[in-house]
Amino acid sequence: MRCKRIGAGAALAAGALAVSGLAFAPAALAVTPQAATISADCGTFGSGEATLTATQNGTAATVTVKSSAITAPIALGADSISSSLTLVKSGGGTVAFTGTKNPAMAAGAPVEVGPLSGTVASGDSLEAFGGSLKMTVFGITITCSATGPQSPGPFVFD
């Protein structure tokens, strides 16, 4: 009988911890889709498919851009690219995601920038087509533009 009481007490304690963990957990907000692909044109620096990955925490959001079709022209150190990604809002206007985050890249390595930070509102629907990605490396600005709508569709923030 004593074992049953200890077991029941342990189960109640575990349940109470689980419930209190849920009570103190931050509200999880979701952006859908979490990743989208675009066809990008960066002029003489390359063109091809790029993947945008978005996250959201309240009104704060980040977007990371990766492309194996667009490569680093020279070896680059970590956090050495100043980037600004402009996405177009479905109702008009734009939202900018900016930052200097990037991994170290060897010459010819796939380009990756981000996470770039921006501010969103609940219900924002953001699309890369019509916007641009500007990356400044050693004083040289590289501008990339989407050549069509992103797939599977725009980012919609909760």
Side-chain angles (χ1 to χ4, degrees), residues 10-24:
L12 285 173
L17 283 173
V19 169
S20 68
L22 288 174
F24 293 110

Side-chain angles (χ1 to χ4, degrees), residues 77-98:
D79 303 332
S80 63
I81 302 173
S82 177
S83 302
S84 178
L85 172 67
T86 303
L87 298 179
V88 177
K89 292 173 93 172
S90 64
T94 60
V95 175
F97 293 83
T98 60

Side-chain angles (χ1 to χ4, degrees), residues 28-79:
L29 297 176
V31 55
T32 53
Q34 292 179 334
T37 58
I38 60 168
S39 181
D41 182 2
C42 299
T44 59
F45 294 97
S47 62
E49 191 171 280
T51 301
L52 285 70
T53 306
T55 63
Q56 178 184 7
N57 185 6
T59 60
T62 64
V63 178
T64 300
V65 181
K66 296 180 186 180
S67 176
S68 57
I70 302 161
T71 58
I74 58 173
L76 300 168
D79 303 332

